[in-house]
Amino acid sequence: MRRTDPEGHGPVRYGPPLPDDGLPLLPELSEVLATAAGRAGTEPVGGGATLLEAACGYWARRGLAAATDRVAAAPGAPTLLVALTAALGGDVLVPRPCAAWWAPYARLLGRPVFHVATPAECGGVPDPYALLETVRRVRAEGGDPRLLVLSVADDPTATVAPPEVLHEAVEAAAGEGLYLVSDETWRDTVHDPHATVLFSPAEMLPEGVTVVSDLAGALLPPGWPAAVARFPEGATGDDLHARVLDVLTALGARVAAPVAAAAGYALAEPEPVTARVAAAVRLHARVAAATYAAVVAAGALARPPQAGRHLYADLSPLRAALAPHGVGDAQELEDFLTARLGMPAPGGHRFGDDLGALRVRLSTAPLLGGTDEERAECLGSPSPWELPHVQRALITLRSVFDDLRDDAQRWEPPR
């Protein structure tokens, strides 16, 4: 696709990356990578024994038993999703909205992608009735829906699907013969594990779900691409695992040996890793809560963030205030807020939402400061929102949204 303007409006090449944690690298992780940097060989396709054993242990600690012949690794979750989509065939169903990278990879393979509305409680999973109707309509039009991609801890909405909502969606998908890919990249970033119950679809439908996790969610920096997939037991899992390895081989998709060493170390979850993950989750949860408070105080809509390092806001109630600024759709909202906030604010259209809807994803990492020193200070502070550089960032955020609220009130017709 040829770039047509300098603003980066293209739907794929200029799509938003995963929200990173914005924090300095964990020293122990850097040491593992540096120690392995002299390795001249390559990892086998699908990952070496050490990495796969670490992945099995990681999932076992989460109640998902796995064997090394049911696990595969690749340089990033997008590569795994390409391989799974190619291996499964058919049309692809995704929630609306969904992670920005899900649909482009299916379209790259020439597969139609159909978005399904989500329930009121959360994003990441389809409303079961909307799913059934979409499947019926696609089949009536000659389509062949086979794959549903979902996420229980969601990007972009930062919500966690309640078990009963997830169960209804999984039951509907299984009844229609759909295979499920569960993107669990963000499962280790749940803000309050004691108040939020997270179930994997693989616990509900063991024979029909492949779990994918990009380690950039909680364990590795995004510049060290590594992801793992867990396949179900039985003939279906055997066949799919083999076909995915074939696709990865054709792509030459091997995890770099130093990155594999770091990934194996992180998946084993030694104390330095678990302590950093817990501290990063606490930090981003607090900043996300402050961001949420600023957004809803201005009159915008948002679900309270429950996971991840982001917030998904609907500025439709502020449409009248945004119109004088030339904002009438999600792309224009993205441009406006990116300029005003001084940080990326991708519009909802990047995530499969309607272009006309005024929705936007706001990440928390840019609010933590501009240097490693400032971000490290956030990590160690019991009250990071009180640090001067975080306060300045939040004041800017509140100011932008408060101005929109005040403008909206002036535009309200007299009663």
Side-chain angles (χ1 to χ4, degrees), residues 55-75:
C56 290
Y58 168 86
W59 273 310
R61 290 188 292 276
R62 287 151 181 80
L64 295 173
T68 54
D69 61 352
R70 294 289 193 287
V71 177

Side-chain angles (χ1 to χ4, degrees), residues 17-23 186 216-217 220-223 284 309-310 361 363-366 368 375:
L18 291 176
D20 65 43
D21 66 8
L23 298 171
W186 300 102
L220 290 182
H284 284 282
R309 305 182 280 260
H310 51 285
R361 187 187 73 185
S363 296
T364 50
L368 303 181
R375 294 163 183 161

Side-chain angles (χ1 to χ4, degrees), residues 217-235:
L219 298 176
L220 290 182
W224 301 1
V228 287
R230 174 194 177 273
F231 296 83
E233 294 185 359

Side-chain angles (χ1 to χ4, degrees), residues 350-362:
R350 307 287 189 182
F351 310 100
D353 239 334
D354 294 330
L355 178 64
L358 297 180
R359 300 189 183 109
V360 65
R361 187 187 73 185
L362 302 172

Side-chain angles (χ1 to χ4, degrees), residues 208-248:
V209 180
T210 290
V211 176
V212 172
S213 181
D214 197 307
L215 303 193
L219 298 176
L220 290 182
W224 301 1
V228 287
R230 174 194 177 273
F231 296 83
E233 294 185 359
T236 299
D238 282 345
D239 183 56
L240 183 57
H241 180 256
R243 283 184 285 156
V244 164
L245 290 181
D246 285 343
V247 177
L248 295 177

